[in-house]
Amino acid sequence: MSPQTHFFVPIFFLIFLTTTLTYASTTPKTQTLNTNPNPQQIQYINPKLPQKAFTSSKKYEGSSNLVHLRYHMGPVLSSSPINIYLIWYGNWPNSHKQTIKHFLLSLSSTSAPSPSVSDWWHTLSLYTDQTGANVSRTVLIAGEHSDLRYSHGTQLTRLSMQQVISTSVKSAPFPVDHKNGIFLILTSQDVTVQDFCRAVCGFHYFTFPSMVGYTMPYAWIGNSAKQCPEVCAYPFAIPGYMAGGGPGALTPPNGDVGIDGMISVIAHELAELSSNPLVNAWYAGEDPTAPTEIGDLCEGLYGSGGGGGYIGQVMKGRDGMSFNMNGIRNRRFLVQWIWSPVLQACTGPNKLD
């Protein structure tokens, strides 16, 4: 989502509370949907899903005639490949870096079994610009820079994010292709950012030539592990007021609440940045300073049967870890769904019909 629109967390939780009250008398303690186990003994689960949530069709939750996603004539990231320039701001363990990079490299890989991260990215490739060019299906990590010294401190603002980029570009040992690239700034768990946890978990925008030297899309996402995991790493952590009334916290597929939570936010922001890089392409609403983008429309949906505060049916492996798509090197991830311009609804690679 763009810098001006980040109030999805309070709205999502309000919907959840309303739905919980509606179904309080009928909601079972735990409901698990068992399918025929495959060799890896994977189950489809939807914790504490109300019986009334099941209908004759589980198809494409989130669809609505009230959604008017429109194209506003701006560019999408159609140049191939999309070069990602990673900026690791703060102290980042190598294991955390590897998990995130494996997700990013999974976006274009065809080696992972379905449902896969690349299947999820395929929905992004359905978005086009005015010339008919699609969002590129090829995503690469073109370079990395680690700012171990916290060059702009541990308290950042939206504006200082551009200073972080500028400093990294001058320090990084790689040439930046600003015509076909994007910056991805990831801040460690000890860095606070303006509005982080209160209103945003991440945002995307574009650089100012006066600060960086050129215009280039970027996205920022923070590690919420120590600051607000119940807000930005949901459903791996849940707010206290949900205790007993909603789904219990799920087990993160890569064993880290903060990093697994970040990955879904990274996916959210990359989807919106790719389809609306200069905030003048694909979004709903008439105000470009407060657009509702393709990730916003599906906030909180991870599988079929979702909506009204329920994440939908996801998978649980033999190890008890929850996920909805596969990545490279046997990685698994839990990533929110996105809006399909073809289906005119939220969808993901793990949909059941």
Side-chain angles (χ1 to χ4, degrees), residues 252-320:
N254 296 287
D256 190 285
V257 169
I259 299 303
D260 279 297
M262 276 189 83
I263 285 171
S264 188
V265 183
I266 289 171
H268 176 121
E269 297 301 335
L270 286 180
E272 295 180 342
L273 184 151
S274 299
S275 58
N276 195 28
L278 301 181
V279 201
N280 61 357
W282 289 94
Y283 63 87
E286 300 302 322
D287 184 359
T289 65
T292 300
E293 299 173 284
I294 67 172
D296 304 328
L297 292 169
C298 305
E299 186 68 42
L301 286 175
Y302 295 83
S304 296
Y310 293 92
I311 68 172
Q313 289 177 272
V314 298
M315 294 172 281
K316 184 167 69 174
R318 183 170 48 187
D319 53 10

Side-chain angles (χ1 to χ4, degrees), residues 84-88 92-109 117 139-146 184 186 254 259 262-263 266 270 327-329 331 333:
I84 296 179
Y85 296 92
L86 277 166
I87 299 174
W88 305 97
W92 280 94
N94 286 332
S95 60
H96 291 176
K97 287 183 177 182
Q98 284 297 103
T99 302
I100 292 172
K101 288 194 290 185
H102 286 168
F103 171 74
L104 295 175
L105 294 173
S106 296
L107 293 170
S108 299
S109 174
V117 175
V139 182
L140 300 178
I141 298 175
E144 301 178 58
H145 173 69
S146 295
L184 184 58
L186 306 175
N254 296 287
I259 299 303
M262 276 189 83
I263 285 171
I266 289 171
L270 286 180
I328 64 171
R329 302 191 181 185
R331 291 281 192 181
F333 304 101

